[in-house]
Amino acid sequence: MEEIHKKIDVLRDELHEHNYKYYIDDSPIISDYEFDMKLKELQELELQYPQFLDSNSPTQRVGGQITKSFENVPHKFPMYSLSNTYSKEELIQWEERIKKIIGNEERISYSCELKFDGASISITYKNGVLIQALTRGDGVQGDNITSNIKTIKTIPLKLKGEYPNFFEIRGEIIIPLEGFQKMNEERLAKGEPIFSNPRNTASGSLKMQDSRLVAKRPLMCFLYSIIGENIDVNTQFEALQKSKKWGFKVPDSARLKNSIDDVFDYIKEWELKREDLPYDIDGIVIKVNDFSHQKKLGYTAKSPRWAIAYKYKAEQVSTILEEVQYQVGRTGAITPVAKLKPVLISGTIVKRASLHNADQIEKLDLRIGDTVFVEKGGEIIPKITGVNSNYRGNLEARIQFINKCPECYFPLEREQGEAQHYCRNDNLCPPQQIGKIQHFISRKAMDIDGLGGETVTLLYKNGLVNKISDLYRLRKDQILNLERMADKSVSNLLGGIEKSKAKPFSKVLFGLGIRYVGETVAKTLVRAFKSINLIEKASFDDLILIDEIGEKIAKSIIDYFSKKENISLIEELKSFGLQFESIENQKSKHFAFDKKRFVISGVFEEYSREELKSEIESLGGLLVSSVSSKTDYLIAGNGIGPSKKNKAEQLNIRIIGEKDFISLKKSNNNKML
Ligand code: AMP
Ligand code: ZN
């Protein structure tokens, strides 16, 4: 036992260290694969020896804990906000006030730091391990989000070096721009609404109930302040250096400045450089460096007197709103888009801005012809932030959100609690039809060689494909007639389509474009159910029992299979030979069971009825509830229903007992299909 405990400890220490090297130090020394193998080994040991569980083990990074409602906990030291300014004059006045309190003879220096645009957090460490993490809340009390915070890999679960026994450290949880963009691309692919900016997404992520989902968000944390009673640190800058040594991610961008003039240089430097940062900042924080000075200056009701934020103005221009257009996505989501009089923002010409949804239009109280303010922040598409009330357009012409689909005129729906309007005419609405086929052939789905999104549009516009299954009906002569289609490219295209028939079931399932069934969910479903027939048959309760399948996904799956167009689409695709079963499932099929129809009746000794049913299905058999001429076997248990038995006898159907079933299973095992 001692041995094992030791082994677990060694693995944990190693993994903590590799985590540090990768996430904090940017200098990994082992490959991701080796890391994963070590982690897996530790996971298995912990599972086998739960007596050695440790809530700060590196295995906790993947999450697992679900918090229904976050406990409200008072902050030991209040979390103040910062007073802020946009002007240099006010910064000079701020310094004058400080000098008055500290005295002119003292030399005052300033720690200049970037103001990260995210969600602030306060984390407590005791004897070098993370014990609690709170959101800012109202500054006096915050939410206990410890289990979510532990999934963020830039936050150490165990410290290095010589740290104080007990202290709090504060920082900002952010989402770097690259991760944010990737996340939105994935959401687009799944037909989910995209997030509007990294800051809100970061703070929203911290409040998710399922920590495993938090673990998947690209969150990171910069630390910038330590608080505690005996921490043996005398200045802010020293605090930054020390916390870095303890294993925290501390930005290298902080600088110590000896005068407000030097602070201005720092502000100017980052005004330009911030464009190149991989994350958003909304300004600079200037802190009086010496803790004894800080103590003398103290706090106002809301903020420390010893710190101030200088905020950069987001570049904002005004232009005229010419029109609102509506786009229909693959899932039928309607996105309003503002068409603007072209205008230059930070070096690019902007003609369009996102309006997100009907609520947004309402909130801005927009009219056509309005002069609007347009801003380009961290978001991908510029947004309208307000209306210049001095130059209103036609006040009568309030923008009415459309109530019919702009492409197919189907009445739009908006579900309760959802911001987006939808056209539910999935199978007939042109952009949805095209979008579905484009999704099906896309790289992450069927990845069909020789066929791209534009060709799909071309095929659609020429009436050659209206739905996914039509791809498998295409003939060479039909495509050759189209413009831009040479012999070679047509052969490639048809070859690619043919080859796609062998693509694994999970790709096909993802390709169907069921709402909320992204790549990962598709894989999970295939693992759990093995075949489309079983997914189709699954009830809402069956579905939500599966790890990572929530109510929203379950509802959408039930919805999808309740539509007969979808069922017939799947039937067609099956007839063309596409894969609708997992590979293991195909291997486990048994010739005596494959596609045979079974009725079971009565109770059994070796099997429960449920076990028997799943056994039959996994061998390729089909379960039916009543005996008919199409039935192949009636499996009779104790207390079999007499009517079933009579009917089977009349129809000359084989009646077998449990023992016969077992021997049938064993029979010719080598003849597995
Ligand atoms: P505000 O929310 O505008 O009052 O600004 C105060 C917030 O700025 C704090 O609560 C922190 O979350 C955040 N902040 C970002 N970077 C820093 C930093 N380097 N030092 C202190 N606070 C920061
Ligand atoms: Zn439509």
Side-chain angles (χ1 to χ4, degrees):
M1 256 331 148
E2 260 316 289
E3 291 274 279
I4 293 193
H5 199 172
K6 219 173 185 173
K7 183 157 185 202
I8 289 180
D9 276 344
V10 169
L11 269 172
R12 281 180 185 154
D13 284 346
E14 273 186 58
L15 285 163
H16 279 307
E17 186 60 23
H18 288 308
N19 184 79
Y20 172 82
K21 290 219 156 72
Y22 189 97
Y23 289 100
I24 314 284
D25 215 21
D26 283 333
S27 57
I29 53 168
I30 62 171
S31 68
D32 291 359
Y33 177 77
E34 283 170 289
F35 185 91
D36 289 344
M37 288 300 113
K38 280 187 198 287
L39 189 66
K40 210 165 151 209
E41 188 182 355
L42 177 59
Q43 271 166 336
E44 277 160 13
L45 284 172
E46 287 182 354
L47 208 65
Q48 212 176 335
Y49 303 95
Q51 65 268 44
F52 302 132
L53 219 67
D54 167 7
S55 65
N56 282 318
S57 165
T59 53
Q60 302 299 305
R61 296 287 197 195
V62 294
Q65 201 156 322
I66 311 251
T67 318
K68 281 272 176 259
S69 70
F70 295 99
E71 174 200 11
N72 217 244
V73 179
H75 288 292
K76 203 151 180 253
F77 307 92
M79 283 181 89
Y80 290 92
S81 69
L82 291 172
S83 58
N84 64 60
T85 176
Y86 290 89
S87 89
K88 294 192 174 156
E89 290 77 59
E90 283 182 8
L91 266 188
I92 294 172
Q93 289 162 9
W94 174 71
E95 187 187 37
E96 281 166 3
R97 284 198 301 275
I98 287 173
K99 285 201 160 148
K100 248 193 213 145
I101 299 175
I102 308 279
N104 266 329
E105 64 288 353
E106 289 272 327
R107 280 192 51 179
I108 302 174
S109 56
Y110 304 95
S111 174
C112 295
E113 300 163 25
L114 303 184
K115 188 169 187 298
F116 306 102
D117 202 7
S120 50
I121 171 94
S122 185
I123 317 175
T124 309
Y125 286 83
K126 190 177 171 184
N127 299 326
V129 297
L130 187 160
I131 58 163
Q132 179 177 273
L134 303 180
T135 63
R136 185 170 125 157
D138 61 3
V140 180
Q141 303 193 350
D143 285 332
N144 186 344
I145 51 162
T146 312
S147 51
N148 285 348
I149 284 300
K150 282 185 181 173
T151 67
I152 301 174
K153 303 196 183 57
T154 37
I155 296 179
L157 300 176
K158 260 183 109 168
L159 303 182
K160 305 154 69 76
E162 307 225 346
Y163 39 78
N165 286 336
F166 192 88
F167 67 98
E168 270 181 44
I169 186 157
R170 289 178 180 171
E172 201 82 356
I173 308 282
I174 60 163
I175 298 188
L177 297 172
E178 197 189 322
F180 181 71
Q181 211 143 339
K182 215 170 123 209
M183 217 165 119
N184 266 346
E185 277 162 18
E186 283 169 14
R187 289 177 73 86
L188 269 178
K190 285 190 222 164
E192 293 171 10
I194 58 168
F195 293 120
S196 70
N197 67 57
R199 187 209 318 117
N200 293 353
T201 313
S203 60
S205 301
L206 296 182
K207 299 294 254 320
M208 289 201 291
Q209 295 184 336
D210 186 346
S211 57
R212 276 168 311 186
L213 299 180
V214 184
K216 289 186 183 146
R217 297 255 167 119
L219 299 165
M220 67 171 283
C221 182
F222 280 126
L223 284 312
Y224 47 67
S225 132
I226 32 181
I227 308 178
E229 259 131 29
N230 296 306
I231 52 171
D232 189 29
V233 181
N234 299 311
T235 71
Q236 165 64 12
F237 209 67
E238 187 189 343
L240 292 177
Q241 309 312 316
K242 284 203 167 157
S243 33
K244 192 170 181 174
K245 287 207 180 106
W246 303 335
F248 292 101
K249 185 110 182 154
V250 176
D252 294 320
S253 44
R255 291 288 178 277
L256 201 54
K257 299 287 180 185
N258 291 318
S259 72
I260 276 293
D261 271 342
D262 292 349
V263 171
F264 288 158
D265 290 342
Y266 187 84
I267 290 174
K268 204 165 146 209
E269 180 190 342
W270 283 101
E271 174 138 37
L272 286 177
K273 282 211 293 198
R274 73 185 183 123
E275 302 287 336
D276 302 325
L277 280 171
Y279 42 79
D280 281 341
I281 62 168
D282 61 341
I284 298 296
V285 184
I286 303 129
K287 300 173 185 168
V288 171
N289 190 41
D290 207 306
F291 283 172
S292 65
H293 288 164
Q294 288 190 4
K295 205 164 163 199
K296 235 173 166 174
L297 288 162
Y299 296 82
T300 69
K302 282 204 310 227
S303 49
R305 285 196 191 87
W306 45 263
I308 191 165
Y310 178 91
K311 289 202 178 179
Y312 292 119
K313 294 188 197 84
E315 199 185 345
Q316 199 183 54
V317 296
S318 61
T319 185
I320 292 169
L321 172 66
E322 293 182 335
E323 195 189 335
V324 175
Q325 298 173 333
Y326 298 87
Q327 288 179 345
V328 186
R330 160 172 77 82
T331 56
I334 310 287
T335 313
V337 178
K339 197 167 159 268
L340 305 167
K341 186 163 174 237
V343 61
L344 197 70
I345 312 181
S346 343
T348 49
I349 292 178
V350 170
K351 297 180 197 152
R352 292 149 74 77
S354 164
L355 283 168
H356 302 300
N357 52 46
D359 290 345
Q360 181 79 358
I361 296 179
E362 184 114 343
K363 213 165 85 194
L364 293 165
D365 190 23
L366 283 181
R367 329 276 160 119
I368 300 298
D370 274 352
T371 298
V372 293
F373 297 115
V374 181
E375 217 173 76
K376 204 172 164 197
E379 293 82 24
I380 310 156
I381 329 172
K383 62 177 181 201
I384 294 182
T385 51
V387 180
N388 186 339
S389 53
N390 297 327
Y391 303 96
R392 302 272 350 211
N394 180 355
L395 284 179
E396 306 299 313
R398 246 201 123 119
I399 294 168
Q400 289 287 339
F401 203 87
I402 47 169
N403 53 24
K404 288 205 177 72
C405 174
E407 304 275 348
C408 75
Y409 310 107
F410 203 74
L412 297 182
E413 273 176 40
R414 179 182 183 174
E415 262 166 53
Q416 259 212 320
E418 284 219 32
Q420 223 75 24
H421 283 75
Y422 281 91
C423 164
R424 295 275 186 231
N425 193 18
D426 322 16
N427 292 314
L428 292 171
C429 180
Q432 294 191 59
Q433 287 180 298
I434 298 179
K436 282 206 176 77
I437 304 168
Q438 286 174 335
H439 169 73
F440 181 77
I441 65 153
S442 65
R443 206 170 45 79
K444 286 185 174 170
M446 298 296 272
D447 192 17
I448 297 186
D449 274 347
L451 182 56
E454 279 180 29
T455 311
V456 169
T457 310
L458 186 72
L459 293 169
Y460 180 87
K461 295 219 160 120
N462 283 279
L464 295 180
V465 292
N466 285 313
K467 52 186 197 299
I468 295 167
S469 51
D470 293 338
L471 289 172
Y472 296 91
R473 294 195 177 87
L474 285 171
R475 292 190 322 263
K476 193 162 184 172
D477 58 302
Q478 292 175 314
I479 318 175
L480 271 175
N481 281 334
L482 305 177
E483 51 182 313
R484 288 189 296 145
M485 282 297 191
D487 199 79
K488 178 108 198 293
S489 49
V490 176
S491 306
N492 282 347
L493 191 160
L494 289 173
I497 291 177
E498 187 58 34
K499 267 205 285 188
S500 74
K501 292 179 180 170
K503 292 273 155 88
F505 176 34
S506 62
K507 302 251 172 194
V508 182
L509 185 60
F510 172 56
L512 291 178
I514 304 172
R515 221 168 142 212
Y516 306 127
V517 178
E519 243 185 317
T520 330
V521 174
K523 283 190 186 141
T524 309
L525 287 169
V526 170
R527 223 177 300 126
F529 291 100
K530 314 252 176 340
S531 76
I532 195 102
N533 296 353
L534 294 183
I535 300 177
E536 188 186 324
K537 269 204 267 169
S539 67
F540 181 82
D541 293 337
D542 295 336
L543 288 163
I544 53 170
L545 270 182
I546 293 161
D547 216 23
E548 291 186 39
I549 308 284
E551 294 184 5
K552 211 158 137 185
I553 302 176
K555 195 168 160 284
S556 158
I557 295 171
I558 299 279
D559 218 46
Y560 182 87
F561 287 103
S562 72
K563 292 195 178 148
K564 60 177 189 310
E565 311 90 82
N566 294 333
I567 303 289
S568 60
L569 173 73
I570 291 169
E571 288 308 317
E572 281 182 73
L573 292 175
K574 273 185 188 165
S575 73
F576 288 119
L578 273 74
Q579 305 303 310
F580 282 98
E581 274 178 280
S582 70
I583 295 170
E584 312 108 75
N585 213 35
Q586 292 172 15
K587 279 197 197 127
S588 65
K589 269 201 215 151
H590 189 296
F591 84 104
F593 288 79
D594 189 35
K595 301 207 176 64
K596 297 282 192 303
R597 288 165 201 272
F598 288 78
V599 175
I600 54 181
S601 181
V603 288
F604 302 89
E605 273 152 31
E606 300 241 346
Y607 290 96
S608 74
R609 283 172 66 96
E610 284 315 308
E611 282 166 354
L612 192 60
K613 283 184 185 171
S614 70
E615 184 93 338
I616 292 171
E617 277 180 332
S618 72
L619 293 163
L622 305 166
L623 286 162
V624 284
S625 53
S626 59
V627 177
S628 74
S629 60
K630 288 192 188 139
T631 308
D632 295 291
Y633 292 97
L634 170 65
I635 307 187
N638 295 325
I640 176 176
S643 66
K644 278 192 177 139
K645 194 167 176 213
N646 290 340
K647 195 150 186 208
E649 279 165 357
Q650 273 168 24
L651 294 169
N652 230 347
I653 284 159
R654 283 175 66 180
I655 303 178
I656 61 173
E658 193 177 8
K659 298 243 155 52
D660 306 321
F661 168 77
I662 295 169
S663 48
L664 186 64
K665 221 179 77 175
K666 288 191 184 138
S667 70
N668 293 313
N669 245 350
N670 51 345
K671 279 212 196 156
M672 289 282 211
L673 284 178

